[in-house]
Amino acid sequence: MNASPTPRPFHLLAKPTGAACNLDCSYCFFLSKSQLYPGSRLRMDEAGLEAYIRQLMEAHPGPEVAVAWQGGEPTLMGLPFFRRAVELVAQHRRPGVDIQYTIQTNGTRLDDEWARFFKDKEFLVGLSVDGPHGLHDQHRHTKGGGGSFDQVLAGWEALQKHDVATNILCTVHADNGDHPLDVYRFFRDELGARHLQFIPVVERETDETAGQSAGGWGEPRALYVQAGDRAAARSVGPAQYGAFMNAIWDEWVRRDVGTVFVQAFDVALGNRLGRYALCVHAPTCGDALVLEHNGDLYSCDHYVEPDYRLGNIHETPLVELVASPRQRQFGQDKQDTLPQMCRDCDVLHQCHGGCPKDRFATTPDGEPGLNYLCEGYRAFFRHIGPAVDYMAGELLARRPPAAVMGEMARRDGVLQAAVAGAGRNDPCPCGSGRKVKHCHGAA
């Protein structure tokens, strides 16, 4: 018998409820994935759970294994399902292996019992929140069409009461994208959140799907696939996304380094040092796969569609599917299909073309494969570049990168002095190319 292939380290998101969810968020194209399983209850059964846990433990070569749950809404499985999952992990884990439990939830079903369980088993709980009440409820609706903010806040309070490790996942769309500091300060000051992710909403559409995407992905729905050369109206704009991230960076880098952790900022610092932690901005991808409720394995969370189904773990071992040439090629294509404009870009070392799902734009000279968010990514990575360089230098010198806050205060003082000595119609000393009166000299 041939030995099973050994995959490089990978991350697997399990969706025990498939696309089933108790919310009806208008931008959530994953709701449409129920079309892949007509007539199914969209629930992982005991045999599926045991196969998933056992094969996950067998497939991971390293000292750590992440057992990660997502949806849909995974808490629809009920707490006994997750208690059983923990039992199976204890049964199948190899000696000395560290287990990291994570779950992404909309939070509406969380209460003291859930929170006690998460605390006891040391779960990291990702909570989906789009900002303060009005911004959150723009798109994160209940099945009845109402807002979900109050329910989510109750879930957050239960998690905080029991001191559960948490991470806020905020999608950035056309409606909250113009309010970066309102969103950031709400998380930091009102929720007291210390770990944040900002994920751009980019919904692709074609002439055929435009009507569906405009109305949301609730019933009746067509299957969403990564096709189309334009973005739906509620998608965040490229320049809008760049401005959103820059505004939050400017506040964070001056006062919150070391106390608030923003995934995009951590990733940028890691990339500067050649340590790639997120597939979106790594040279290649293919190491973040998705397991559906019935054992189907897909190349990526964004590609749960027929062309990217690798197989089923009840028929082919997980380790073989993860290490398959087909999946390796999927990941390598991220680098191999970069347009020349990206290869020549001054922020390639940070961006690496972004996620392939968003590469449906064309370059100015007509080459396909440019990321829809390119304008925003360039603005963001260029804006943060000098401070990231400083932080990287501090880390390499074995000093805390939080020293950048003092450096920013020094630089701000130098700039303010230069602006004070310049005429209103002079070029702004910041280097923006604008006149002082239209830049740092504006009232």
Side-chain angles (χ1 to χ4, degrees):
M1 179 181 295
N2 294 329
S4 296
T6 300
R8 60 194 186 195
F10 67 97
H11 186 268
L12 183 61
L13 274 178
K15 295 176 176 286
T17 62
C21 187
N22 61 323
L23 295 187
D24 198 13
C25 303
S26 56
Y27 53 63
C28 185
F29 60 80
F30 205 85
L31 291 172
S32 77
K33 303 302 181 178
S34 63
Q35 295 296 311
L36 293 169
Y37 304 101
S40 170
R41 291 182 57 251
L42 300 177
R43 297 292 188 273
M44 181 178 283
D45 60 20
E46 171 75 14
L49 176 61
E50 195 280 334
Y52 160 53
I53 296 297
R54 174 175 50 80
Q55 293 190 40
L56 183 68
M57 298 298 119
E58 293 171 350
H60 267 279
E64 296 180 353
V65 179
V67 181
W69 305 99
Q70 199 197 47
E73 176 47 44
T75 63
L76 291 174
M77 292 299 299
L79 195 47
F81 173 87
F82 292 97
R83 294 191 191 279
R84 178 58 179 154
V86 170
E87 292 174 356
L88 288 169
V89 168
Q91 178 181 331
H92 292 291
R93 68 187 296 180
R94 290 179 284 111
V97 171
D98 181 38
I99 303 298
Q100 300 174 341
Y101 292 108
T102 69
I103 187 170
Q104 184 66 40
T105 174
N106 61 40
T108 60
R109 295 170 50 82
L110 302 185
D111 56 18
D112 285 338
E113 186 178 12
W114 277 102
R116 280 192 294 267
F117 170 76
F118 290 146
K119 177 63 176 179
D120 181 53
K121 302 306 178 183
E122 299 183 325
F123 269 64
L124 171 62
V125 179
L127 192 69
S128 297
V129 193
D130 279 0
H133 198 301
L135 294 176
H136 176 91
D137 282 348
Q138 284 280 334
H139 295 288
R140 299 194 64 82
H141 307 148
T142 66
K143 293 295 186 184
S148 62
F149 181 85
D150 291 339
Q151 295 167 271
V152 176
L153 196 61
W156 169 260
E157 290 171 350
L159 295 172
Q160 295 305 291
K161 175 182 175 182
H162 294 278
D163 194 29
V164 177
T166 53
N167 176 70
I168 295 290
L169 189 156
C170 173
T171 63
V172 185
H173 45 74
D175 292 290
N176 67 0
D178 289 333
H179 306 278
L181 294 183
D182 291 338
V183 171
Y184 179 67
R185 290 169 181 169
F186 169 73
F187 293 146
R188 183 192 65 197
D189 302 335
E190 297 189 41
L191 294 190
R194 291 297 175 259
H195 294 84
L196 310 174
Q197 295 181 55
F198 296 104
I199 308 299
V201 170
V202 179
E203 288 180 75
R204 295 170 67 169
E205 66 178 15
T206 65
D207 289 338
E208 292 73 24
T209 63
Q212 173 74 69
S213 62
W217 295 98
E219 297 283 4
R221 61 176 74 101
L223 177 66
Y224 180 94
V225 296
Q226 297 295 350
D229 59 1
R230 65 176 188 253
R234 62 177 157 258
S235 301
V236 66
Q240 183 185 33
Y241 181 66
F244 181 95
M245 295 304 295
N246 284 348
I248 294 175
W249 169 272
D250 285 344
E251 176 137 322
W252 176 84
V253 79
R254 286 168 171 82
R255 58 160 289 171
D256 295 328
V257 182
T259 57
V260 178
F261 301 89
V262 179
Q263 183 192 51
F265 305 162
D266 290 344
V267 167
L269 181 56
N271 279 19
R272 174 63 178 77
L273 297 168
R275 304 167 187 169
Y276 303 111
L278 182 68
C279 56
V280 173
H281 294 303
T284 61
C285 62
D287 297 322
L289 301 92
V290 165
L291 185 74
E292 263 288 350
H293 67 289
N294 70 334
D296 283 347
L297 188 71
Y298 291 87
S299 291
C300 170
D301 185 33
H302 297 293
Y303 286 89
V304 177
E305 51 192 77
D307 288 346
Y308 297 91
R309 179 183 176 274
L310 298 170
N312 189 290
I313 66 169
H314 295 294
E315 301 166 358
T316 306
L318 173 65
V319 66
E320 293 183 18
L321 296 174
V322 172
S324 66
R326 182 180 172 192
Q327 181 63 9
R328 293 302 103 212
Q329 189 60 53
F330 172 84
Q332 187 60 41
D333 283 347
K334 182 178 192 290
Q335 185 174 69
D336 292 348
T337 59
L338 275 176
Q340 193 62 43
M341 177 178 169
C342 293
R343 298 176 190 274
D344 296 337
C345 183
D346 60 304
V347 296
L348 174 63
H349 68 288
Q350 283 286 8
C351 178
H352 292 290
C355 183
K357 77 178 181 67
D358 298 331
R359 293 184 185 176
F360 54 88
T362 56
T363 66
D365 61 1
E367 188 178 2
L370 185 68
N371 197 297
Y372 163 79
L373 293 170
C374 174
E375 180 183 359
Y377 283 148
R378 281 187 296 165
F380 173 58
F381 290 125
R382 287 172 178 169
H383 181 72
I384 71 174
V388 169
D389 288 346
Y390 182 89
M391 295 170 73
E394 292 298 285
L395 278 174
L396 291 172
R398 300 184 181 277
R399 294 190 295 264
V404 72
M405 293 186 287
E407 175 63 12
M408 294 305 296
R410 185 193 68 78
R411 295 181 186 183
D412 288 346
V414 171
L415 177 59
Q416 289 168 7
V419 169
R424 284 174 49 78
N425 291 310
D426 291 342
C428 186
C430 76
S432 67
R434 292 176 290 179
K435 293 181 180 181
V436 167
K437 65 183 181 183
H438 295 310
C439 194
H440 282 86

